[in-house]
Amino acid sequence: MADASEMDKAYEPQKVEGKIYQYWLDSGVFDAEVNPDKEPYCIVIPPPNVTGVLHMGHALDETIQDLLIRWHRMKGFEALWVPGTDHAGIATQNVVEAQLAEEGLTRDDLGRKQFVKRVWEVKEEHHGVITEQLQRIGVSVDWRRERFTLDEGLSRAVRETFVTLYEQGLIYRGARMINWCPRCGTSLSDLEVEHEETPGHLWYIRYPEPDGGPGVVVATTRPETMLGDTAVAVHPQDERYADMIGKTVILPLMEREIPVIADDYIDVEFGTGALKVTPAHDPNDLEIAQRHHLPSVVVIDREGKMTSETGPYTGLDRYECRQKVVADLEKLGLLERTEDYPHTPGQCQRCDTVVEPLVSTQWFVKMAPLATKGLEAVESGKVSFIPERWTKVYRDWLANVQDWCISRQLWWGHPIPVWYCDDCGEQTCTRSDPTECAHCDSQSLRQDPDVLDTWFSSALWPFSTLGWPDETPELNYFYPTSVLVTGYDIIYFWVARMIMMGMHLVGREPFGEVFLHGLVRDEHGQKMSKSRGNAVDPIRLMDEYGADAMRFALAQLITHGQDVTYAPDRLVGARNFCNKLWNASRFVIMNLTDLEPVDLDTAELSLADRWILSRQSRMLAEVDRQLADYNLAQAAGAIYEYVWSEFCDWYVEVAKIDLYGDDAARKATVQTILHKLLSEILRTIHPFMPFITEQIWQGFALDKGSISRQPYPQAEERWQDENAEADWRREQALVTDIRGLRAEVRVRPSEWVLVSVVAPDAETASLLDGLRRVTAELAKVGELNLATAPAQPPANAISAVTDGIITSLHLGDAIDVEKEIARIQKDIAELEQDRERSTGKLQNPDFLNKAPEAVVNKERDKLAGFDQDLEKLRARIELLRSAAR
């Protein structure tokens, strides 16, 4: 046992966290090996973007995973947490292109080879940033096994997957309508497009008949696309347009005739019930066009500019074109009216640019066959979702899944392993770069210029990181992994795809459980983001409060699938808890220097001893049960309440009586109990707060090595004692009432008081009589008069009743009643002045009309507080007067 004097008086996380993490690395305590003698437990980290920085979502995600890994490691599992980073195609390319822009360059100025080289350089520069930030949180990953989605091994896995699916006919190239980002210059899958309500307009445009008749009026949110209209569609049952079906109208500005057709898709309630059909720029319009064999006219190109099909509008940006089209329609008298209309245009997830639906030749994965296997994994119980309600969301998405567009028009990423022959026009797809065409032996080959969607490589993460496509010992031992921890927002992007790929390629589910947590939101419930200016930097929080406080505060907020509301007061509370733990541990260690352990099974235990051993056993059982059910907040709450409110506030205080007393046997017993309690407390808290518990452990049990390799404490039912708990609750009630009465009349903390107690029965009286010394020390009671009902409380005293125990505090010399009443009356006078000022404000019409609502409400709260305080003070005066009678 180290000397507690070696522990600083106050815990300073900034001084020790870095040293402790290095100690863990040097000790190899995070390393995991294939060990047939132990049960494996494995988590693969959701790989952060290699050029990214830590945000609160990462902090939440890593806190949960680290807690689970440390818990299982201490429970005896061979626990492997695989670290790694994602190449993040679009995001990383955007970072480098932004750097080039600052230098006055574009990627085209560098050329593809040099640009990719530049990205690798940026990747190497940034890699250390995100990994260092992860270490700040305390992640107990096996850094020897770190992976990168573009490293050699994972690149081989990606290529093997592509070629395998290609050979199975599950990957194909075709022309389909896709989402196109003009800013990023690439296609996007539906999942990479976000929809957020945006203020907009609905323009009503008249399409006249060729003979000058009124024609029809259509409503649109995108007037610039009308230049590519090839029909107007109405519902076949809409009587308003019965005489127009089969006729033609003139497309304004383009002056070409287009047909009026009938189609069941049309919503008669939207706009005028007549829909302009632009097959080249709307997926629904394209389906209508295919049913009616309509032509398709492309009017917006990949840069978001108008094509030569638009005549005088050629070359204009799509939004400039919108303004000009609206102005020209107005001049022609064909713009009937404009209405405000909120809508939800698709936006690129990476840059917020409004995407353009375009027909383009891309690579796709046939999802239906894979979805069948993904559904089977869940239906058979191989994969379970926590919380379970996400199972339905998963099922519904797979039941209606669309083919996945996997090609991206980027330079950074996994190249598509397909070569085109300039001589025969055929495709060659191979596991190694070909030197000649597989169909005609020609050496005139061109590789497809596109790269794969980042999520394609991410879908292989659980098994590619363990060595697949090779059958490695790690793959055979750790796969399927144990649990995936991630936010519910990427259940489609990532979770579903990993399950499908694992089932199809490896023949096994990638993980047994999926724990989906919520998103971190600000105090007002808004999603955190840089653009909103409400993002909280976890590095700053760790600098201010320490990593453990941040981790514990987050753990206290984690409930199944519910969003987490950031609460600064939780951080303050968690930091205070760290300090409480530190101070209590320091006190215990300081008093164990002469420890000579005794056998607690044969030692004579006091009521307080039996109570605390029982309460700790119940706490350990509760924490273990809640963690097993992923109820992390409940587990954290159980630890907090027990350590603060029972161990620190009660038992440590009671223990001082024997630690400073003359009974050597009692001292040895209490020391042994304190040693057992603290050892178990530190090990229980360690997965939640690893740094402070390791630091304390080094002063408590240095000879045993890192706390992270110690066994997790298990509840011992033999210590659970309901009678001891019930008896001690009565002692707690008595002490609490005495303390409350002292506070009520402001007895000085150093003042010893006279207390009379009337117990409801002889058994209670006997119990309290045996605890006189404890009561005296905990409540500063100089003399305790104990009687049994029906004895009456004494005069000149104030009383409280709990569980039938009447506790009376004699006023006597402990307080000058008249002086105390005078002091309270002075406080009442000051409060009444404050109340009068507040009332005046709230009766002032100018204040009520001009002050912000929040300010008015705050003033109303102040007034209510003044009223409550006045009521308490007046009640205290009445209490004092009645007691003095």
Side-chain angles (χ1 to χ4, degrees):
M1 183 71 61
D3 188 343
S5 63
E6 296 175 11
M7 293 177 64
D8 292 340
K9 288 188 176 181
Y11 178 60
E12 298 180 63
Q14 294 76 15
K15 280 178 58 177
V16 303
E17 288 176 354
K19 296 176 183 177
I20 290 173
Y21 198 86
Q22 191 59 50
Y23 162 71
W24 288 330
L25 293 179
D26 295 341
S27 304
V29 295
F30 304 156
D31 297 349
E33 304 293 346
V34 173
N35 185 349
D37 295 331
K38 295 174 72 175
E39 185 177 348
Y41 184 85
C42 182
I43 297 178
V44 289
I45 197 170
N49 291 357
V50 70
T51 55
V53 293
L54 208 66
H55 54 64
M56 287 302 289
H58 290 127
L60 178 68
D61 216 45
E62 267 55 272
T63 292
I64 297 171
Q65 291 172 86
D66 193 54
L67 194 163
L68 294 174
I69 280 287
R70 288 180 184 271
W71 180 49
H72 281 87
R73 186 182 291 124
M74 295 175 77
K75 285 173 74 72
F77 290 79
E78 189 66 22
L80 169 64
W81 188 8
V82 181
T85 48
D86 196 303
H87 68 278
I90 295 177
T92 302
Q93 181 155 320
N94 282 346
V95 167
V96 178
E97 289 197 55
Q99 291 180 358
L100 291 175
E102 291 178 2
E103 300 169 20
L105 299 171
T106 67
R107 62 172 169 166
D108 294 314
D109 293 328
L110 268 65
R112 184 165 189 156
K113 185 175 180 180
Q114 287 302 311
F115 178 79
V116 171
K117 181 182 177 185
R118 174 74 173 262
V119 182
W120 274 105
E121 291 171 355
V122 171
K123 175 262 177 189
E124 292 302 325
E125 293 170 7
H126 280 75
H127 170 261
V129 175
I130 192 72
T131 52
E132 182 182 340
Q133 291 180 338
L134 288 171
Q135 291 180 1
R136 285 288 307 275
I137 293 178
V139 295
S140 57
V141 298
D142 188 343
W143 287 110
R144 303 171 307 158
R145 301 180 184 274
E146 184 181 5
R147 304 305 299 268
F148 177 52
T149 52
L150 267 177
D151 69 29
E152 184 178 349
L154 268 63
S155 294
R156 187 163 75 89
V158 167
R159 187 154 181 173
E160 175 65 28
T161 300
F162 187 98
V163 176
T164 298
L165 296 178
Y166 181 91
E167 292 172 344
Q168 295 171 345
L170 295 177
I171 282 183
Y172 66 93
R173 189 169 183 253
R176 291 181 51 181
M177 181 160 283
I178 50 90
N179 305 294
W180 183 266
C181 176
R183 157 63 186 80
C184 296
T186 184
S187 60
L188 304 172
S189 71
D190 291 342
L191 295 178
E192 292 170 299
V193 178
E194 295 183 338
H195 297 269
E196 191 169 317
E197 187 171 290
T198 306
H201 297 92
L202 202 56
W203 287 273
Y204 290 78
I205 306 166
R206 182 171 296 281
Y207 287 36
E209 295 170 64
D211 61 3
V216 295
V217 175
V218 303
T220 180
T221 59
R222 301 193 65 199
E224 69 278 9
T225 63
M226 68 173 289
L227 304 175
D229 288 358
T230 57
V232 171
V234 297
H235 196 279
Q237 303 301 319
D238 194 336
E239 295 181 359
R240 293 173 295 177
Y241 301 110
D243 62 340
M244 287 298 298
I245 297 172
K247 294 182 178 181
T248 62
V249 291
I250 299 296
L251 177 62
L253 306 179
M254 293 290 97
E255 297 301 320
R256 65 172 179 261
E257 287 188 44
I258 57 175
V260 178
I261 60 174
D263 195 280
D264 290 334
Y265 168 78
I266 307 307
D267 179 3
V268 298
E269 300 297 328
F270 177 76
T272 63
L275 176 77
K276 57 185 285 303
V277 181
T278 319
H281 298 285
D282 185 279
N284 298 312
D285 291 7
L286 179 59
E287 291 184 11
I288 294 173
Q290 290 170 342
R291 287 195 291 270
H292 295 270
H293 308 292
L294 299 173
S296 183
V297 180
V298 178
V299 294
I300 300 175
D301 65 18
R302 292 186 170 194
E303 294 182 357
K305 294 183 178 180
M306 308 310 291
T307 69
S308 58
E309 294 283 357
T310 62
Y313 304 99
T314 301
L316 289 178
D317 172 81
R318 52 185 170 162
Y319 295 114
E320 292 175 334
C321 180
R322 176 181 296 180
Q323 295 176 350
K324 188 162 178 25
V325 163
V326 170
D328 290 347
L329 288 170
E330 202 162 17
K331 287 177 187 175
L332 294 171
L334 296 176
L335 183 64
E336 295 285 309
R337 67 182 187 277
T338 304
E339 295 177 353
D340 290 336
Y341 182 77
H343 62 140
T344 55
Q347 295 175 296
C348 174
Q349 187 189 50
R350 294 297 177 188
C351 68
D352 297 330
T353 300
V354 174
V355 301
E356 194 61 52
L358 294 177
V359 174
S360 176
T361 299
Q362 302 286 341
W363 287 94
F364 296 88
V365 175
K366 288 182 182 178
M367 296 300 286
L370 300 178
T372 300
K373 294 182 179 181
L375 284 168
E376 189 272 329
V378 171
E379 300 296 348
S380 65
K382 294 175 182 175
V383 177
S384 58
F385 284 89
I386 303 160
E388 199 277 332
R389 67 177 181 273
W390 287 103
T391 304
K392 183 179 185 304
V393 175
Y394 173 85
R395 281 200 201 103
D396 290 348
W397 184 71
L398 285 188
N400 300 283
V401 70
Q402 301 296 310
D403 285 356
W404 175 14
C405 176
I406 57 171
S407 48
R408 298 291 180 270
Q409 290 62 54
L410 302 171
W411 288 354
W412 173 247
H414 292 281
I416 289 178
V418 173
W419 282 257
Y420 305 103
C421 179
D422 291 333
D423 291 331
C424 71
E426 292 291 339
Q427 298 173 177
T428 297
C429 179
T430 59
R431 289 170 175 79
S432 57
D433 292 0
T435 56
E436 58 185 32
C437 175
H439 304 277
C440 72
D441 298 333
S442 169
Q443 295 184 355
S444 183
L445 298 176
R446 289 176 295 105
Q447 186 173 5
D448 192 299
D450 294 347
V451 299
L452 288 166
D453 177 11
T454 295
W455 294 101
F456 190 88
S457 54
S458 298
L460 317 179
W461 189 248
F463 47 93
S464 63
T465 54
L466 295 173
W468 187 90
D470 296 330
E471 283 201 27
T472 63
E474 287 78 8
L475 185 67
N476 291 329
Y477 180 68
F478 287 110
Y479 187 89
T481 64
S482 306
V483 63
L484 175 77
V485 177
T486 191
Y488 63 71
D489 56 327
I490 55 175
I491 188 172
Y492 311 130
F493 276 111
W494 195 37
V495 181
R497 289 168 176 169
M498 281 190 288
I499 295 174
M500 288 186 281
M501 289 296 190
M503 293 294 288
H504 185 75
L505 296 169
V506 190
R508 293 289 307 275
E509 68 280 7
F511 26 72
E513 295 178 311
V514 181
F515 179 52
L516 295 170
H517 58 75
L519 309 180
V520 183
R521 298 186 179 274
D522 68 13
E523 297 168 83
H524 308 292
Q526 295 294 313
K527 184 178 178 180
M528 287 189 178
S529 68
K530 288 182 180 178
S531 59
R532 284 195 179 97
N534 64 348
V536 175
D537 180 8
I539 300 300
R540 180 185 64 78
L541 296 184
M542 289 188 283
D543 286 342
E544 184 174 354
Y545 298 98
D548 288 325
M550 184 188 74
R551 288 171 59 120
F552 198 75
L554 287 172
Q556 289 178 299
L557 298 170
I558 298 165
T559 53
H560 287 192
Q562 300 296 317
D563 286 344
V564 173
T565 301
Y566 168 71
D569 58 317
R570 288 278 188 179
L571 282 156
V572 174
R575 181 177 61 188
N576 292 343
F577 183 54
C578 288
N579 292 335
K580 188 83 168 179
L581 176 65
W582 180 266
N583 292 334
S585 299
R586 189 171 181 272
F587 168 80
V588 170
I589 295 170
M590 187 182 301
N591 284 279
L592 296 183
T593 53
D594 57 345
L595 170 65
E596 293 183 9
V598 301
D599 184 352
L600 294 180
D601 288 316
T602 58
E604 186 176 339
L605 303 180
S606 69
L607 173 62
D609 297 338
R610 292 177 9 244
W611 166 74
I612 197 65
L613 288 168
S614 180
R615 294 302 301 153
Q616 179 136 320
S617 177
R618 293 190 194 281
M619 179 273 292
L620 294 176
E622 176 71 2
V623 170
D624 216 46
R625 183 176 68 83
Q626 297 292 4
L627 288 179
D629 292 336
Y630 294 95
N631 293 322
L632 309 188
Q634 290 86 337
I639 291 170
Y640 180 93
E641 287 301 319
Y642 168 78
V643 172
W644 190 298
S645 303
E646 296 183 296
F647 175 70
C648 292
D649 283 359
W650 287 96
Y651 190 73
V652 168
E653 295 305 312
V654 174
K656 291 176 182 178
I657 299 172
D658 290 314
L659 290 175
Y660 303 152
D662 299 327
D663 188 331
R666 279 297 303 152
K667 179 179 179 181
T669 299
V670 168
Q671 285 179 316
T672 302
I673 292 172
L674 284 172
H675 186 277
K676 171 183 170 60
L677 296 175
L678 183 58
S679 172
E680 291 178 350
I681 286 170
L682 293 175
R683 287 180 283 138
T684 303
I685 297 176
H686 179 70
F688 294 85
M689 301 195 301
F691 290 104
I692 190 171
T693 50
E694 183 72 75
Q695 183 70 9
I696 295 171
W697 187 261
Q698 296 305 310
F700 177 73
L702 180 60
D703 57 321
K704 292 187 177 181
S706 172
I707 189 174
S708 62
R709 286 288 183 173
Q710 304 307 309
Y712 202 73
Q714 298 300 302
E716 297 175 85
E717 288 189 19
R718 66 194 178 97
W719 292 120
Q720 294 179 15
D721 187 336
E722 291 184 5
N723 292 331
E725 291 185 37
D727 287 347
W728 186 254
R729 279 196 296 271
R730 286 185 282 181
E731 170 64 8
Q732 285 180 304
L734 173 60
V735 171
T736 300
D737 279 348
I738 297 172
R739 289 171 173 173
L741 292 171
R742 291 177 63 110
E744 190 73 24
V745 291
R746 300 199 180 189
V747 176
R748 291 186 303 275
S750 60
E751 189 85 29
W752 292 80
V753 294
L754 170 61
V755 172
S756 292
V757 174
V758 178
D761 51 58
E763 188 271 332
T764 302
S766 176
L767 171 72
L768 299 179
D769 188 46
L771 294 167
R772 282 177 178 274
R773 186 181 177 197
V774 173
T775 304
E777 293 295 334
L778 295 184
K780 281 284 182 179
V781 176
E783 183 179 348
L784 177 65
N785 297 328
L786 186 60
T788 306
Q792 295 299 308
N796 194 30
I798 56 174
S799 303
V801 182
T802 301
D803 294 336
I805 302 172
I806 304 172
T807 304
S808 302
L809 172 65
H810 294 253
L811 297 181
D813 296 331
I815 181 172
D816 185 326
V817 174
E818 292 305 320
K819 187 176 180 181
E820 177 64 11
I821 289 175
R823 187 194 61 73
I824 295 172
Q825 287 174 332
K826 183 179 178 183
D827 290 345
I828 289 175
E830 292 176 357
L831 270 174
E832 285 177 335
Q833 290 179 356
D834 292 337
R835 187 188 186 284
E836 188 176 344
R837 280 193 292 270
S838 184
T839 302
K841 272 188 178 182
L842 291 170
Q843 291 176 346
N844 184 339
D846 285 343
F847 174 74
L848 295 175
N849 294 329
K850 295 178 182 179
E853 183 180 357
V855 174
V856 174
N857 289 336
K858 186 176 181 181
E859 195 63 40
R860 289 191 176 118
D861 290 342
K862 280 173 61 178
L863 180 61
F866 293 146
D867 288 337
Q868 290 173 5
D869 291 344
L870 284 167
E871 185 179 349
K872 288 178 183 177
L873 291 175
R874 287 168 181 148
R876 190 179 296 165
I877 287 178
E878 184 57 35
L879 179 68
L880 288 167
R881 284 176 173 159
S882 63
R885 290 190 187 109

